[in-house]
Amino acid sequence: MTSDREAVVFVWLSGQGYVPAALLSESSGGASYTLGYGRRYAARPDALPLDPVSLPLYMPRPATSRRGVLFPVLRDAAPDKWGRKVLGLMAGRHAGTLSEMDFLVSAHSPDRIGALAFGDTPAGGPRSLAPWAQDDAMTVPEGDSACSDGSAWLERIARVVAEVDALADDEDLDDLRKTLPEEAFLQALASSLSVGGGRPKALVRMPEGHCIAKFGKRGDPWDEPRIEHATMTLAARCGIHVSPTRLMETDHGSVLLVRRFDRTPDGTPRHFISGFTLNAAIDEDGDWGSYHDLAQRARQHGDSHAGPELFRRMVFNALCANIDDHPRNHAWFVEREGLSMTPAYDIVPTQARFKTYDLALRCGTEGRRASLANVLTRPEPFGLRRDEAEAIARDIAGVMSTWRDHFAACGVVTKDLDELAYRFRGVPEGV
């Protein structure tokens, strides 16, 4: 089969920088994708598998994706709903006219999420493969040196993000572009290209290091960045390993800064895969599996500590109605010796009010039902005895019983606290 397009897949290796690892080929306009490792790369003693589950280093032949869907690990590296809207804006086209390959390889930034990047030749290194996404416009600037906390640059990004968020999908994208300085426009938008999810966000470099900035969204019923900060810090109090967060204020509302787990303190990229990739999921609209599946697969690939951590996250999510706990919001670092779970980075109660809540992943014998009774029904796949699981859940519930005081201390207003009480109603009283 003749390839329509090809791209070299690079991976960042410690002490080496970006190294050419594999060749990705697209055929028939995206009906089929193949990927094969370079022989020299696979033979390296420091080589990392792009995906240890579905793309091990020693494949006898190039792998072909099923049903014309990108390989899950490459889907991890591609922008999600928000980033796709941004790419369409930068290209001057509706995002629906761009292909999966366009989304993956058009824009490159040294600050992109994860350790994968793309280029057209092994010797040329990673670069943007679209004329409207030149590399020199894709670097995320440092926070304004004149302001030690980086607030000046964050204010600048917040303005652009707010205007992009206000755009309806069918509006003329060029109208917005003409109202913004070209440099600010490109840099602010480029900083959000490879960040997953559907909410407005951007990559920023702040005094504490590389961060993801999360902004409020048009139509939010409450101060989402502030509530996520309160939830993440409450999760940390419950013994969950979370990325550090802090809140900043701008003229466009509060902004949550989440420390990037995919960067070492000196800024070196770290390769990771999502729970979708760990579960070898192809159809993201289908059955997403269970927490138990993730725990068992992680253990099969070398992570002996994921079980108890996943159990804690499952209990916490059930008790605060965080129903956006899909597999892309769980991730694992890829190392030669195996996988290890990353810190949690996206925990917040749902804005929707339902009579009962279901998690995105199955969490017990009652399926996805978000209740303490359900999450305690099958502790064994997490490597826990029933008494151990009950003790962990009791400790988490005890800390979460103080949620209202904790959220108030984080600046959440009374109106929002009263609405949040409906999400926390599953927390037992008197624990």
Side-chain angles (χ1 to χ4, degrees), residues 107-183:
H108 170 69
S109 166
D111 297 283
R112 67 184 301 150
I113 292 290
L116 301 186
F118 306 89
D120 53 358
T121 66
R127 73 178 193 88
S128 301
L129 298 183
W132 42 265
Q134 294 86 4
D135 293 338
D136 58 0
M138 308 301 286
T139 300
V140 177
E142 307 242 4
D144 192 334
S145 58
C147 191
S148 60
D149 63 357
S151 59
W153 171 242
L154 198 62
E155 188 77 52
R156 196 177 178 197
I157 291 181
R159 176 199 164 199
V160 180
V161 166
E163 295 195 45
V164 174
D165 181 45
L167 272 180
D169 288 340
D170 57 355
E171 289 189 60
D172 185 357
L173 303 176
D174 285 337
D175 287 347
L176 174 61
R177 185 164 190 163
K178 292 171 184 174
T179 68
L180 299 167
E182 185 72 2
E183 181 185 3

Side-chain angles (χ1 to χ4, degrees), residues 83-108:
R84 290 173 182 232
K85 183 174 184 177
V86 169
L87 269 177
L89 184 53
M90 294 186 71
R93 296 164 54 184
H94 192 285
T97 67
L98 297 173
S99 71
E100 289 299 319
M101 193 80 158
D102 288 329
F103 289 127
L104 185 66
V105 306
S106 290
H108 170 69

Side-chain angles (χ1 to χ4, degrees), residues 6 49 90 99 113 134 148 192 195 206 255 304 329 345 423:
E6 293 182 339
M90 294 186 71
S99 71
I113 292 290
Q134 294 86 4
S148 60
S192 64
V195 190
M206 303 302 286
V255 178
S304 60
N329 279 338
Y345 47 89
R423 283 50 168 190

